[in-house]
Amino acid sequence: MSDCLFCKIIDGSIPSDKVYEDDDIFAFHDIHPKAPTHVLVIPKIHIPTLADVENPDLLGTLMSKVNHIANDVLKLEAGYRIVINVREGGGQEVFHLHVHILGGKKLPF
Ligand code: AMP
Ligand code: ZN
């Protein structure tokens, strides 16, 4: 989608600090980290929010790859938190589905 910030990060027209990419997803460091490690994982196809996902297989693929990135790429052995903000009331600011991976310290809840 031409006016989407995260689509522009995927196509490289906006720079990012990439940590992982494959045919399905792209992962990069959050520009305003809320933990020592804060990475965003996004599908390469433009889907505005979690509530817009029509194919449940996409969520299985996305969450499996989030797990791979957290464990094998970021090596968050002590653990991590995943967050998906949904729509304005859920705190979503960028309307391209994304999973936050937070780790690197004991996270309060
Ligand atoms: P959300 O509030 O769930 O929509 O999260 C959007 C996230 O995108 C926030 O944590 C922002 O800090 C992050 N963000 C916004 N612009 C950029 C950017 N250019 N590069 C990396 N992260 C960004
Ligand atoms: Zn997009």
Side-chain angles (χ1 to χ4, degrees):
M1 191 180 163
S2 59
D3 63 349
C4 169
L5 172 65
F6 286 175
C7 284
K8 289 178 180 171
I9 283 178
I10 291 166
D11 73 21
S13 58
I14 289 178
S16 68
D17 187 3
K18 182 170 83 172
V19 299
Y20 179 87
E21 179 178 12
D22 64 22
D23 288 344
D24 302 312
I25 62 152
F26 192 97
F28 55 102
H29 288 281
D30 196 293
I31 204 166
H32 298 302
K34 293 171 182 67
T37 299
H38 186 173
V39 163
L40 302 174
V41 183
I42 62 180
K44 284 194 168 175
I45 59 170
H46 180 84
I47 300 172
T49 81
L50 180 67
D52 299 305
V53 173
E54 293 176 352
N55 178 1
D57 292 345
L58 182 139
L59 293 180
T61 299
L62 180 62
M63 296 312 294
S64 166
K65 293 183 179 189
V66 163
N67 208 28
H68 167 63
I69 292 165
N71 287 293
D72 304 325
V73 179
L74 301 173
K75 306 209 180 289
L76 296 170
E77 280 118 4
Y80 53 92
R81 177 172 298 159
I82 60 172
V83 172
I84 302 176
N85 296 323
V86 184
R87 301 192 186 124
E88 289 90 344
Q92 185 173 5
E93 294 179 350
V94 179
F95 281 73
H96 179 128
L97 174 62
H98 52 281
V99 179
H100 298 255
I101 301 175
L102 299 151
K105 69 171 185 182
K106 178 95 171 143
L107 298 165
F109 187 71

